[in-house]
Amino acid sequence: CERSRSPPPLPTVLVSGGGRGRAVALSAGSNTDTLEQTIRRRTAWDTFDELRLEDEFCDVTIKVDDVEFRAHKIILSGCRPYFRKLFSGRCTKTEKNVYDIPGITPDMMRLIIQYAYNRKISINSENVRKLFMAADQFIILGLKCLCANFLISQLCPENCIGIDRLSSQFNCPELHENCHAYILHHFQEIASTSEELVDLSITEFEDLINRDDLNVKREEVIFEAIIKWIEHNPNERRQYITTLLPKVRMGLIHNTYLMNNVMTNIHVKDNKECMNIVTSVLKTNNDLNANGSSRSEFMNPMTRPRLPSAILLATGGCSSNDPTKTMEAYDCRADRWVDITYDMESPRAHH
């Protein structure tokens, strides 16, 4: 799961099985615990951990490579069914109560055992991906949730796409939903700063820029992102320009930009189908400028505005001293008013 480019550094956070992870952390306390109950539970876990560190009453050895960890079966079995099944079956047992665990490093196993005993773990940018992998391997849902929450708290334009890939790799819907919402809302910053954008597949990229709820102030940003994505591997990706260009709402772009930037682009001007698309949009824009806007422009995928993240709605008012049924919405992101008058609405004023 390691990427060729590392995301920005993330801070170290000491987290435990409570908080947002309470629903899935097996030994986290309930909201109704008294202070005395919490102290007793904490004291018990601390005692178990001290016994482990002093190798008292330990009845199992976990071996990773050449490193051995002494522990108590009942504590590890209480962490997740993985260990319960391991101890009750015939899995990689080399000698009495010694178990070889593949697919994990000694450092990660040390953290997993620590978490099993005291439900506390130090998560940082250096270990979160390996911890996520280990939590998935051993089906430790509480730890998996803590890793996801840490990554959610660290989302930024430079790393959100890479973290979204982790959510798919480890089947974490909550993390995926948060990443997807972040990408949609911060696409403009991602398009200008992220090196991960060009790693998207054609299907992922097409689905993203086609979204009505993609948060961009100017459609020019979408066109420039397409060119950036193609230029990352032009020999292979040039063929997709006819698929991607119609996803730009070019009816919302000024004709000057279309003629000076879109039609002159090497990937567009050498493609007859693309030139026909842009020419058609120019004609539509000229017609709208001559005849004014109409509700039909909302039906045209080239002229339909994307859904704003916030709007100001103005209804009614007076025109020539008479109430009006006019309804207008102000898109704060795009800095534009849109007429959304509903013909069946009654005129109103002074409301």
Side-chain angles (χ1 to χ4, degrees):
C1 67
E2 298 294 331
R3 298 183 59 79
S4 58
R5 289 185 295 269
S6 299
L10 306 179
T12 299
V13 179
L14 183 65
V15 292
S16 64
R20 294 180 65 182
R22 181 175 288 112
V24 290
L26 295 178
S27 296
S30 69
N31 291 329
T32 59
D33 280 355
T34 64
L35 177 60
E36 182 180 0
Q37 289 172 321
T38 301
I39 293 174
R40 286 178 178 176
R41 180 181 292 106
R42 188 73 273 148
T43 301
W45 286 117
D46 289 342
T47 300
F48 295 149
D49 202 26
E50 288 175 5
L51 292 173
R52 173 182 70 88
L53 295 174
E54 296 171 4
D55 198 8
E56 292 191 32
F57 309 116
C58 292
D59 55 0
V60 68
T61 298
I62 301 297
K63 188 175 181 180
V64 179
D65 296 335
D66 294 326
V67 181
E68 294 185 346
F69 302 92
R70 296 286 286 158
H72 305 90
K73 288 183 178 179
I74 192 169
I75 300 298
L76 296 185
S77 297
C79 180
R80 280 312 293 170
Y82 174 93
F83 291 105
R84 190 181 312 161
K85 183 177 180 180
L86 176 70
F87 299 145
S88 62
R90 299 178 179 178
C91 303
T92 60
K93 188 173 179 180
T94 56
E95 56 184 88
K96 187 176 180 180
N97 294 326
V98 178
Y99 295 83
D100 283 315
I101 307 296
I104 189 172
T105 66
D107 288 342
M108 287 299 105
M109 180 54 73
R110 182 177 291 106
L111 291 174
I112 292 295
I113 293 176
Q114 173 191 320
Y115 178 79
Y117 273 83
N118 57 32
R119 297 302 191 266
K120 291 183 179 179
I121 196 163
S122 179
I123 300 180
N124 56 51
S125 61
E126 300 300 321
N127 66 21
V128 64
R129 285 163 177 76
K130 290 182 179 179
L131 274 176
F132 212 160
M133 182 183 299
D136 186 68
Q137 176 181 346
F138 297 114
I139 324 174
I140 307 176
L141 300 184
L143 180 56
K144 192 172 179 179
C145 182
L146 293 175
C147 289
N149 291 341
F150 175 82
L151 290 170
I152 290 170
S153 72
Q154 304 303 314
L155 285 173
C156 69
E158 290 80 10
N159 68 19
C160 56
I161 293 176
I163 292 177
D164 191 33
R165 290 197 182 283
L166 282 180
S167 73
S168 300
Q169 181 180 352
F170 298 123
N171 189 27
C172 189
E174 181 185 3
L175 180 58
H176 171 69
E177 290 171 7
N178 278 271
C179 287
H180 199 56
Y182 186 94
I183 291 169
L184 289 173
H185 189 71
H186 296 273
F187 182 81
Q188 193 151 323
E189 300 97 309
I190 293 169
S192 62
T193 63
S194 174
E195 295 183 357
E196 299 177 336
L197 182 68
V198 295
D199 293 333
L200 292 175
S201 67
I202 176 59
T203 301
E204 293 170 328
F205 188 55
E206 180 185 0
D207 290 345
L208 178 61
I209 64 174
N210 195 41
R211 292 285 297 253
D212 281 334
D213 52 349
L214 189 65
N215 185 30
V216 290
K217 186 173 182 179
R218 301 161 43 250
E219 284 295 315
E220 290 90 330
V221 171
I222 308 296
F223 174 74
E224 290 161 9
I226 290 173
I227 300 305
K228 178 180 179 179
W229 184 85
I230 291 175
E231 288 292 343
H232 182 68
N233 188 357
N235 291 335
E236 181 178 326
R237 296 181 174 182
R238 186 180 294 114
Q239 61 181 311
Y240 297 119
I241 185 64
T242 55
T243 300
L244 298 174
L245 189 61
K247 305 303 184 260
V248 183
R249 313 285 169 93
M250 285 187 285
L252 305 177
I253 298 177
H254 197 278
N255 282 358
T256 301
Y257 184 92
L258 292 175
M259 291 184 290
N260 294 342
N261 298 81
V262 178
M263 298 184 76
T264 59
N265 182 271
I266 187 172
H267 302 297
V268 176
K269 69 179 183 179
D270 293 336
N271 188 297
K272 184 177 179 181
E273 184 176 347
C274 287
M275 290 298 289
N276 288 338
I277 292 172
V278 181
T279 301
S280 176
V281 171
L282 288 171
K283 183 178 182 303
T284 300
N285 286 351
N286 289 332
D287 290 342
L288 288 174
N289 291 334
N291 303 321
S293 62
S294 66
R295 296 187 66 85
S296 62
E297 65 182 287
F298 292 99
M299 305 301 295
N300 187 335
M302 288 288 186
T303 57
R304 184 176 69 247
R306 297 183 191 269
L307 297 176
S309 56
I311 63 170
L312 174 66
L313 191 63
T315 63
C318 286
S319 176
S320 300
N321 296 323
D322 293 324
T324 177
K325 59 182 179 182
T326 299
M327 298 180 66
E328 292 180 299
Y330 177 68
D331 184 344
C332 305
R333 174 203 60 209
D335 187 24
R336 98 179 245 196
W337 285 94
V338 179
D339 186 352
I340 57 170
T341 301
Y342 180 49
D343 293 337
M344 301 298 292
E345 186 68 31
S346 300
R348 62 178 65 190
H350 309 295
H351 53 287

